[in-house]
């Protein structure tokens, strides 16, 4: 029963353009992610949706606010974005190298 609820957070635009993107609704925000079709890791992993849902539902119990959260191997960084929206201080390392960039 939880899978349809989680997958219901994902939507695809009605009008497709040359740049593919997907939208997600978490923490009262519409988050648009541009995915890469030529890179293996640059798309939203199903496990990221599950973790975003878990953080949204249990973020207060986990005391995310004002915590430093590092997300490694994050694909597009959706989890880091949701963690930031929940009040966490978050950075995402997507390439595995020294060129980390803030997720938000």
């Amino acid at each position: 029963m939880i899978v349809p609820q989680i997958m219901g957070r994902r939507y695809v635009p009605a009008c497709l353009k040359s740049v593919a993107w997907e939208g997600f609704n978490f923490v009262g925000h519409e988050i648009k992610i541009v995915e890469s079709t030529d890179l293996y890791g640059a798309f939203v992993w199903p496990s990221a949706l599950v973790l975003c849902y878990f953080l949204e539902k249990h973020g207060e119990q986990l005391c995310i606010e004002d915590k430093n959260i590092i997300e490694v191997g994050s694909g597009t960084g959706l989890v880091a974005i949701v963690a930031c929206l929940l009040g966490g201080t978050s950075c995402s390392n997507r390439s595995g190298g020294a060129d980390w960039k803030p997720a938000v």
Side-chain angles (χ1 to χ4, degrees):
M1 292 283 192
I2 198 167
V3 172
Q5 200 173 25
I6 293 170
M7 292 308 291
R9 305 287 182 122
R10 175 182 173 266
Y11 61 91
V12 179
C15 178
L16 296 176
K17 298 183 180 180
S18 60
V19 177
W21 63 270
E22 287 186 283
F24 304 90
N25 289 307
F26 287 103
V27 197
H29 290 83
E30 180 181 293
I31 304 165
K32 291 182 181 178
I33 300 287
V34 176
E35 296 181 310
S36 175
T37 56
D38 60 346
L39 296 173
Y40 181 70
F43 61 90
V44 178
W45 294 91
S47 58
L49 295 176
V50 173
L51 186 51
C52 288
Y53 179 82
F54 180 82
L55 290 176
E56 183 178 49
K57 293 296 179 191
H58 304 287
E60 191 172 307
Q61 293 170 329
L62 297 171
C63 302
I64 291 175
E65 193 170 337
D66 297 325
K67 298 284 181 156
N68 293 320
I69 300 166
I70 300 173
E71 182 185 16
V72 179
S74 60
T76 60
L78 178 63
V79 175
I81 293 168
V82 171
C84 282
L85 292 172
L86 289 168
T89 303
S90 181
C91 66
S92 176
N93 182 341
R94 295 188 287 190
S95 67
D99 60 338
W100 71 272
K101 297 176 184 173
V104 176

